[in-house]
Amino acid sequence: MLKRTLVILWSIMALALAACGQSAPATPTAAPSPAGEQPATTPAAAPSGEKIRLIIGTGGTGGVFFPYGGGLARILTEKMPNTEATAQETGGSVDNMKLLQSGEAQIGFTTADSAYDGINGLAAYQATGPVPATSIAVLYQSFIHVVARADSGITSIADMKGRPVSIGSAGSSTETAAIRLLEAAGLKPEDVIRENLGVADSVAAMKDKKIDAFFWIGGLPTAAVTDLVTTESVVFIDTSALLKPMIDKYGPIYTATVLPGGTYKGTDQDVPGIGVANLLVVREDMPADQVKGILTTIFDNLEEVHQIHPAARTLSLESAVDGSSIPFHPAAIEFYKERGVWKE
């Protein structure tokens, strides 16, 4: 099972790094809290008759997190007793993890690589420290889009040297993955003329010929990219050759996947590339009854969830437990055991 494989591979990676005299990232067997600190906000069950209020950190309007989160908020508000859920537009994964850390959100969408960095205080989280987050579901797989103007002459990441390129919003999971891909292709981040734009702004900049290429981690199809290809001729760059160096350095968070032909106008053939899972996460101190209430509402109304967005259609009880880069909340484990899909 993928959960067990992830843990084994991370353990091997940690031993290999230690043997080289390097500091290995903490193996994701338990979600840590910042040492010596109390959580900013300790959630408690709402008093009888008082509504539970849940803020869901989503993403920008051009991506998948935003409509997916909005749909979940509506379903939770309508179907989960005594609950009012609100979707909040954010910069994406990193913002959402930090909102959980501060207690300003109770639920968040995040990519698996950003979640792992978050609970270990790595990369974008070095300044703020480990985030006390746990997974409650693996939602869907994102494709790491690497998109170039067809008239730019860019056919590989190496071709981006000296060119204006958007690597995602500052501090976002897209920026982290873009920098890692540039390095895997033999470039330094400063080898490109970097722009830090979200997907909607990247699309606008490409239409205005201000950038030649952009990176974006998103579900399929991403609305902003669908909009782009209606008026512009672009190429989706095959990044599959960079998967091995990415896994060698960062572990099995990244996986082989494809952009299926026909997903976007003008792209008839499958494009091999790299994928990363997307997680629904909560604070590790969320009360068990709230966690189980959220999951019960989602999976008892799964057909309605599937109607939110094409990316939501892959969600099932079985898929929800496979591929998390961070530990599950104990109440989520209990829920999945009760539903017969959790395997030790």
Side-chain angles (χ1 to χ4, degrees):
M1 183 173 173
L2 187 52
K3 293 197 307 296
R4 181 170 295 173
T5 302
L6 279 168
V7 172
I8 293 171
L9 287 173
W10 276 115
S11 299
I12 294 170
M13 180 184 175
L15 289 171
L17 287 171
C20 295
Q22 300 176 355
S23 296
T27 303
T29 55
S33 295
E37 296 183 8
Q38 294 299 318
T41 301
T42 302
S48 178
E50 188 175 321
K51 280 195 172 187
I52 297 168
R53 301 190 185 277
L54 302 173
I55 302 296
I56 305 174
T58 62
T61 56
V64 175
F65 285 178
F66 182 75
Y68 204 151
L72 284 185
R74 176 182 55 79
I75 291 169
L76 290 172
T77 298
E78 293 176 356
K79 311 287 187 180
M80 184 172 168
N82 207 36
T83 300
E84 181 180 312
T86 304
Q88 179 174 328
E89 180 182 352
T90 71
S93 298
V94 175
D95 275 359
N96 297 338
M97 292 288 284
K98 290 182 177 179
L99 287 170
L100 288 184
Q101 185 176 40
S102 66
E104 295 175 75
Q106 291 72 49
I107 308 173
F109 285 71
T110 180
T111 54
D113 52 350
S114 192
Y116 179 79
D117 288 344
I119 70 164
N120 290 290
L122 304 173
Y125 306 93
Q126 287 181 343
T128 52
V131 180
T134 52
S135 180
I136 63 170
V138 179
L139 295 175
Y140 65 96
Q141 186 89 346
S142 274
F143 182 78
I144 303 180
H145 298 65
V146 185
V147 187
R149 292 186 57 84
D151 59 7
S152 69
I154 296 173
T155 59
S156 69
I157 291 178
D159 292 337
M160 294 180 183
K161 187 172 183 177
R163 310 295 285 275
V165 177
S166 172
I167 62 170
S169 301
S172 67
S173 58
T174 294
E175 182 186 46
T176 298
I179 290 171
R180 290 173 177 179
L181 282 167
L182 287 167
E183 291 174 342
L187 298 180
K188 298 176 182 178
E190 55 268 28
D191 287 336
V192 300
I193 302 170
R194 287 183 291 171
E195 297 286 347
N196 282 110
L197 305 173
V199 64
D201 288 338
S202 293
V203 165
M206 183 168 281
K207 287 182 176 182
D208 291 339
K209 297 182 171 58
K210 293 179 179 178
I211 60 172
D212 290 337
F214 68 84
F215 293 81
W216 164 246
I217 297 179
L220 300 174
T222 291
V225 181
T226 298
D227 172 65
L228 173 67
V229 299
T230 61
T231 60
E232 305 295 323
S233 180
V234 304
V235 293
F236 293 89
I237 294 172
D238 178 349
T239 59
S240 58
L242 303 178
L243 177 61
K244 185 178 186 303
M246 292 279 279
I247 291 176
D248 287 347
K249 188 166 184 178
Y250 302 107
I253 290 173
Y254 301 105
T255 58
T257 189
V258 298
L259 171 67
T263 301
Y264 297 115
K265 179 183 176 182
T267 305
D268 299 325
Q269 303 298 318
D270 290 355
V271 179
I274 298 172
V276 61
N278 295 280
L279 315 179
L280 195 63
V281 296
V282 300
R283 287 181 58 94
E284 63 181 6
D285 54 9
M286 176 177 273
D289 60 339
Q290 288 187 23
V291 173
K292 295 184 80 170
I294 291 165
L295 291 174
T296 298
T297 302
I298 289 172
F299 288 102
D300 283 359
N301 297 279
L302 194 55
E303 288 187 10
E304 191 169 346
V305 172
H306 287 169
Q307 300 306 308
I308 294 172
H309 187 278
R313 295 173 190 162
T314 62
L315 180 64
S316 68
L317 278 165
E318 292 76 14
S319 69
V321 299
D322 278 335
S324 179
S325 59
I326 66 174
F328 277 79
H329 192 290
I333 295 174
E334 185 178 346
F335 170 84
Y336 290 120
K337 284 181 175 178
E338 291 170 356
R339 295 294 178 108
V341 296
W342 185 269
K343 297 178 182 176
E344 299 296 344

